[in-house]
C-alpha cells in the first residue's frame, strides 16, 4: 500500500500552441507513513506532480496507483472523489481558498462535502483548530479578520478536518516568519508520527534535513533522485549542479572536514556536532 | 483556461498579424456593422467566404476556430430555441400541442445563428492576431480625435490595457481556486442546485478578494512610481501605416459596401 507512479507523462494544453510537457516519464514509489520532501527549481514540475496524487490532474499517459485506486488518462471524474478525501492537498498560499463567514463554517466545508454530519464535523473542527495552534475563541470569527499566518493555519485546518491518509503540502511555509514556519513543520511531523504519509514541497534544505525521511529531486519535469535524506546530501556535486544549497549544518561539517576533522556528515543536530568536535580537538 | 481561445493572442507570423492594429480594429467595426444588414443568404455567403479567407490568411487552425465558438454554444442554443418558438410569422410548418414552428421563425433563427458565428470568428481573428498592447495602442490612436472634446483617451486606453492584461491572470486564479476547492470535495459540474450555488460561492468570494487585492497592489505600484495619467508621454512603439494596410482597407470597404448595396437592392 503506497503511492506509485508508473511512466507518468503530463502535457498541459495538449495540441495547442501553448502545450507544455511538464512531467516526463515519472516513476516513483512513496512509502506509506513516510515524510518525503519534494525539491527542485521553480518550474521543474513539483506542483504538477503532486496534483496527480489527488487526481486534480490526470496523467496524459502512464498510471498512478494510490493504495487501491488506479488513476489513468481515461478515469471518470466521479470515480475520483474518494481520492480527494484520501489525499488532502494544501495548495501554495492556501489562505486564498477561505470564503465562509466564520472559521468554523470554513473548516467544516470540506468534511461536509464528503458527507460527514454537521454536528460531527463541528467536533472535528474544534480538534483540528487546536492542532494548528488556534483556540476555540476563533471558531466564530471571520477568517478575513486574521493575519496572513493565521489564515494559513485555518486553511490547513480545513484540509486536516477531512482526515486524509496522505497530506500533501505545496510550499506550506513560504512567506511565514521563521517561528511560524517551525511551528508548522512540527505540526506536520506530529501528524506524520500519527501514521499519515506526508509529502512536502520545500525550498529550505534545513527544514528538509531536520524533518523529512526521504527526498525527491525534480528537474525539468523528471524525477532525478529519490533517496533518504542522509544519502541525498552526500551528493554535493549533483546538488550544486542544480544550485541547491546544502543544509547549513552539513556544509559546516564539510568545511571542518576540509581542515582535518573527520566528522560524519549525516549529523543533523547541533548538540551532537558540538560533542563530536569536542572529541576530536 | 486550458482550452480557452476566446480573446487569446496566438503568437505567430502571418499576413494578418502584420497588419496595422488601427486597420484591424476599424475593419472589425465595419464588418460587425455589415453583419447586421439583411442581405439575405447571398450576403451571408459573401461574408462567410470573406471570413474564411481571413482565417486562412491569419494561419489559425480549424480546431482553434471551433474552440473559440465552443464557450458560446450554450448561449446560442438558448437564443435559437426562444427565437424558434416565439416568432409566429409565415406558414405553419410543425405543430406539437402548444409548440408551433413557422417557416419565418426557422429563417430568422438561421440568420441569428450565422450572425453570431460570424461575429465570434471575426472578433477572434482580431484578438488572436493582435498583441493586447498593440490593440490598446490602436484604440488610443483611433480615439485620439475625441481628445479635443476632452475625452480621456489615454486613461481609457490604459484601463483597457490593464483589463486585457489581467484576463489571463484572473483565469489562472480561477483555475487555482477551483482546484483548491475541488481538493475540499467541491464538484463544480455536479450536485443539486444548493450544492451548485455553494460551489460557485466558494469560487467567487476568493476570486473577488484576490482581484481587489491585485488592483490595490497595482495601483500602489503605479503611484509609487509616480504615474500621472495626464502627463505627456512619448512611445517606444510607433504604428506605421503600410501599403498593405491601405489595400486591405479597400478590400474590407468593398465587401461591406457590397453587403449594404445588396441589402438595399433586395
Ligand atoms: N495550467 C498550466 N498550463 C500550462 N503550463 C503550465 C500550467 N501549470 C504549470 N505549467 C508549466 O509547467 C511547468 C511546471 O510547473 P509547476 O509544476 O508549477 O512547477 P513547480 O511547482 O516545480 O514550480 C512550468 O514551466 C509551468 O509554466
Ligand atoms: Mg509550484
Amino acid at each position: 500500500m503506497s503511492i506509485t507512479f508508473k511512466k507518468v507523462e503530463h502535457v498541459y494544453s495538449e495540441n495547442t500552441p501553448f502545450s507544455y510537457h511538464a512531467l516526463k516519464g515519472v516513476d516513483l514509489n512513496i512509502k506509506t507513513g513516510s515524510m518525503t520532501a519534494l525539491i527542485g527549481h521553480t518550474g521543474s514540475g513539483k506542483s504538477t506532480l503532486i496534483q496527480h496524487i489527488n487526481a486534480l490532474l490526470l496523467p496524459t499517459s502512464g498510471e498512478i496507483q494510490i493504495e487501491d485506486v488506479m488513476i489513468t488518462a481515461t478515469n471518470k471524474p466521479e470515480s475520483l472523489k474518494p481520492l480527494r478525501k484520501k489525499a488532502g492537498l494544501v495548495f501554495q498560499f492556501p489562505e486564498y481558498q477561505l470564503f465562509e463567514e466564520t472559521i468554523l463554517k470554513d473548516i467544516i466545508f470540506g468534511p461536509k462535502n464528503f458527507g460527514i454530519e454537521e454536528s460531527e464535523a463541528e467536533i472535528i473542527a474544534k480538534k483540528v483548530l487546536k492542532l494548528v495552534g488556534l483556540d476555540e475563541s476563533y471558531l466564530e470569527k471571520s477568517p478575513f479578520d486574521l493575519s496572513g499566518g493565521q489564515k494559513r493555519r485555518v486553511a490547513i485546518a480545513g484540509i486536516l478536518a477531512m482526515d486524509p491518509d496522505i497530506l500533501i503540502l505545496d510550499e506550506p511555509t513560504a512567506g511565514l516568519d521563521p517561528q511560524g514556519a517551525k511551528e508548522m513543520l512540527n505540526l506536520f511531523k506530529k501528524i506524520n508520527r500519527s501514521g499519515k504519509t506526508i509529502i512536502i514541497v520545500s525550498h529550505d534544505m534545513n527544514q528538509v534535513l531536520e524533518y523529512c525521511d526521504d527526498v525527491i529531486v525534480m528537474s525539468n519535469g523528471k524525477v532525478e533522485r529519490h533517496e533518504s535524506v542522509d544519502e541525498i546530501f552526500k551528493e554535493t556535486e549533483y546538488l550544486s549542479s542544480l544550485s541547491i544549497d546544502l543544509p547549513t549544518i552539513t556544509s559546516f561539517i564539510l568545511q571542518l572536514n576540509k581542515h582535518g576533522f573527520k566528522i560524519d556528515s549525516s549529523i543533523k543536530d547541533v548538540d551532537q556536532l558540538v560533542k563530536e568536535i569536542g572529541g576530536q580537538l | 483556461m486550458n482550452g480557452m481561445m476566446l480573446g487569446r493572442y496566438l503568437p505567430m507570423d502571418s499576413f494578418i498579424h502584420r497588419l496595422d492594429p488601427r486597420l484591424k480594429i476599424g475593419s472589425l467595426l465595419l464588418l460587425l456593422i455589415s453583419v447586421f444588414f439583411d442581405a439575405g443568404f447571398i450576403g451571408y455567403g459573401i461574408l462567410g467566404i470573406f471570413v474564411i479567407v481571413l482565417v486562412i490568411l491569419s494561419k489559425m487552425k480549424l480546431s482553434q476556430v471551433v474552440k473559440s465558438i465552443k464557450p458560446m454554444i450554450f448561449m446560442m442554443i438558448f437564443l435559437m430555441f426562444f427565437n424558434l418558438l416565439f416568432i409566429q410569422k409565415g406558414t405553419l410548418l410543425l405543430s406539437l400541442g402548444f409548440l408551433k414552428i413557422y417557416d419565418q421563425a426557422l429563417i430568422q433563427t438561421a440568420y441569428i445563428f450565422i450572425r453570431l458565428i460570424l461575429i465570434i470568428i471575426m472578433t477572434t481573428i482580431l484578438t488572436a492576431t493582435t498583441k493586447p498592447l498593440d490593440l490598446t495602442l490602436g484604440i488610443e490612436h483611433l480615439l485620439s480625435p475625441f481628445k479635443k472634446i476632452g475625452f480621456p483617451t489615454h486613461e481609457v486606453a490604459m484601463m483597457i490595457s490593464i483589463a486585457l492584461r489581467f484576463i489571463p491572470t484572473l483565469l489562472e486564479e480561477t483555475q487555482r481556486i477551483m482546484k483548491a476547492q475541488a481538493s475540499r470535495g467541491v464538484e463544480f459540474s455536479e450536485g443539486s442546485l444548493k450544492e451548485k450555488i455553494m460551489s460557485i460561492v466558494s469560487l467567487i468570494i476568493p476570486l473577488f478578494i484576490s482581484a481587489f487585492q491585485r488592483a490595490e497592489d497595482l495601483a500602489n505600484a503605479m503611484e509609487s512610481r509616480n504615474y500621472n495619467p495626464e502627463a505627456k508621454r512619448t512611445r517606444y512603439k510607433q504604428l506605421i501605416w503600410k501599403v498593405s494596410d491601405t489595400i486591405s482597407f479597400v478590400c474590407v470597404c468593398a465587401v461591406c459596401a457590397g453587403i449594404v448595396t445588396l441589402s438595399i437592392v433586395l
Side-chain angles (χ1 to χ4, degrees):
Chain A
M1 290 295 213
S2 56
I3 302 166
T4 310
F5 279 62
K6 276 196 196 122
K7 297 200 175 62
V8 172
E9 307 272 335
H10 190 90
V11 183
Y12 280 111
S13 315
E14 206 177 11
N15 300 327
T16 73
F18 308 97
S19 101
Y20 187 87
H21 200 157
L23 290 185
K24 299 167 188 161
V26 169
D27 284 304
L28 261 187
N29 186 347
I30 299 171
K31 292 190 291 288
T32 302
S34 65
M35 181 146 169
T36 304
L38 184 54
I39 66 175
H41 280 285
T42 305
S44 58
K46 305 180 297 293
S47 301
T48 308
L49 181 100
I50 56 176
Q51 287 173 46
H52 282 78
I53 300 176
N54 76 344
L56 280 177
L57 294 176
L58 294 179
T60 308
S61 70
E63 54 188 49
I64 299 148
Q65 185 148 10
I66 313 292
E67 307 198 348
D68 48 0
V69 187
M70 180 82 97
I71 310 169
T72 62
T74 54
N75 267 86
K76 294 212 171 57
E78 312 90 74
S79 66
L80 297 169
K81 195 171 173 187
L83 254 179
R84 305 271 155 86
K85 187 187 173 311
K86 202 189 279 279
L89 174 57
V90 178
F91 273 88
Q92 209 173 350
F93 303 112
E95 46 274 30
Y96 290 121
Q97 72 193 34
L98 302 175
F99 72 99
E100 281 281 14
E101 296 153 64
T102 67
I103 291 174
L104 175 69
K105 278 194 188 170
D106 211 285
I107 294 178
I108 65 174
F109 179 65
K112 270 170 58 191
N113 284 331
F114 290 107
I116 290 173
E117 287 298 318
E118 189 144 346
S119 54
E120 197 185 329
E122 285 181 14
I123 298 171
I124 299 173
K126 287 177 190 155
K127 215 176 73 188
V128 292
L129 195 63
K130 205 162 129 199
L131 208 56
V132 297
L134 297 172
D135 62 59
E136 275 191 26
S137 68
Y138 283 94
L139 284 172
E140 294 305 323
K141 284 191 183 154
S142 160
F144 302 112
D145 293 339
L146 301 179
S147 74
Q150 287 172 324
K151 275 188 200 159
R152 189 168 307 176
R153 284 162 199 256
V154 171
I156 291 175
I159 300 288
L160 292 179
M162 298 171 355
D163 191 29
D165 296 326
I166 304 163
L167 181 62
I168 310 156
L169 303 131
D170 199 349
E171 304 189 28
T173 58
L176 289 186
D177 59 283
Q179 183 58 30
K182 204 170 163 181
E183 283 171 23
M184 203 68 100
L185 283 158
N186 282 326
L187 166 69
F188 302 145
K189 193 75 211 175
K190 193 163 129 196
I191 295 167
N192 175 236
R193 292 226 173 87
S194 74
K196 316 257 179 197
T197 309
I198 295 202
I199 300 164
I200 180 166
V201 177
S202 179
H203 288 292
D204 183 333
M205 294 308 127
N206 291 321
Q207 288 179 357
V208 172
L209 179 74
E210 191 173 343
Y211 292 94
C212 299
D213 311 314
D214 295 326
V215 178
I216 297 169
V217 187
M218 289 199 72
S219 174
N220 256 324
K222 292 193 185 101
V223 167
E224 293 203 332
R225 295 284 193 282
H226 184 190
E227 294 167 349
S228 72
V229 167
D230 292 345
E231 290 299 315
I232 198 73
F233 289 126
K234 281 185 187 143
E235 300 199 43
T236 50
E237 266 164 39
Y238 169 66
L239 293 179
S240 76
S241 77
L242 291 180
S243 21
I244 294 174
D245 289 333
L246 288 176
T248 317
I249 190 163
T250 314
S251 75
F252 182 59
I253 293 172
L254 290 181
Q255 288 291 324
L256 285 174
N257 286 351
K258 263 191 207 152
H259 293 86
F261 283 86
K262 288 196 176 58
I263 299 172
D264 179 5
S265 66
S266 61
I267 290 178
K268 299 177 187 177
D269 181 83
V270 176
D271 289 339
Q272 203 189 335
L273 176 62
V274 170
K275 253 185 234 151
E276 192 72 24
I277 296 173
Q280 294 192 19
L281 278 176
Chain B
M1 73 159 251
N2 279 344
M4 196 69 186
M5 258 308 301
L6 207 68
R8 203 168 195 187
Y9 174 66
L10 292 177
M12 277 186 300
D13 187 30
S14 76
F15 176 72
I16 309 265
H17 279 75
R18 285 189 295 267
L19 288 175
D20 191 292
R22 286 169 292 184
L23 162 84
K24 286 190 266 189
I25 297 166
S27 306
L28 177 68
L29 284 177
L30 287 179
L31 287 168
L32 287 182
I33 293 168
S34 57
V35 165
F36 287 95
F37 276 89
D38 183 2
F41 285 108
I42 305 169
Y44 288 124
I46 295 171
L47 273 178
I49 291 169
F50 189 62
V51 165
I52 291 170
V53 172
L54 291 181
V55 168
I56 294 169
L57 281 178
S58 68
K59 292 192 185 160
M60 275 169 78
K61 293 201 197 77
L62 188 65
S63 65
Q64 291 165 342
V65 178
V66 172
K67 260 193 187 150
S68 70
I69 300 172
K70 252 191 192 162
M72 309 297 276
I73 290 258
F74 181 74
M75 197 189 85
M76 278 164 62
I77 292 175
F78 189 78
L79 269 175
M80 283 160 62
F81 177 76
F82 280 99
N83 258 287
L84 212 50
L85 292 187
F86 289 121
I87 296 177
Q88 309 207 324
K89 271 191 292 188
T91 46
L92 191 62
L93 291 179
L94 185 75
S95 167
L96 288 167
F98 70 97
L99 289 177
K100 293 191 171 61
I101 293 177
Y102 293 82
D103 65 344
Q104 278 303 314
L106 216 54
I107 292 172
Q108 286 298 327
T109 310
Y111 276 179
I112 288 179
F113 177 75
I114 296 169
R115 279 177 189 159
L116 282 172
I117 297 264
L118 284 174
I119 290 170
I120 295 168
I121 299 179
M122 287 170 180
T123 319
T124 306
I125 293 173
L126 175 69
T127 53
T129 63
T130 318
K131 291 192 194 102
L133 272 178
D134 291 345
L135 212 53
T136 35
L137 199 55
I139 293 172
E140 195 174 344
H141 271 268
L142 289 176
L143 289 178
S144 60
F146 298 102
K147 230 183 203 159
K148 296 213 173 64
I149 56 164
F151 186 80
T153 41
H154 171 73
E155 284 88 332
V156 169
M158 181 55 113
M159 269 157 56
I160 296 173
S161 74
I162 289 175
L164 288 173
R165 157 67 187 76
F166 276 98
I167 290 173
T169 313
L170 285 180
L171 285 174
E172 235 165 72
E173 192 76 9
T174 308
Q175 227 190 19
R176 220 173 66 90
I177 297 168
M178 280 175 87
K179 277 180 176 173
Q181 304 302 22
S183 300
R184 299 209 275 168
V186 174
E187 284 165 292
F188 285 95
S189 50
E190 267 154 65
S192 63
L193 187 66
K194 196 178 156 229
E195 284 169 327
K196 275 217 175 100
I197 292 173
M198 197 62 180
S199 55
I200 290 177
V201 169
S202 79
L203 169 65
I204 296 278
I205 292 182
L207 195 60
F208 266 85
I209 291 173
S210 91
F212 281 120
Q213 184 67 50
R214 274 179 206 286
E216 205 175 308
D217 288 349
L218 182 67
N220 284 338
M222 286 168 80
E223 271 182 17
S224 59
R225 277 181 257 177
N226 238 342
Y227 172 73
N228 172 8
E230 271 136 39
K232 215 171 163 56
R233 36 178 56 81
T234 55
R235 290 212 174 268
Y236 162 64
K237 181 150 186 160
Q238 300 293 330
L239 295 179
I240 299 161
W241 189 269
K242 298 177 295 294
V243 179
S244 58
D245 294 314
T246 310
I247 297 171
S248 307
F249 191 60
V250 172
C251 291
V252 172
C253 287
V255 170
C256 294
I259 300 287
V260 174
T261 321
L262 214 58
S263 79
I264 295 168
V265 173
L266 281 175

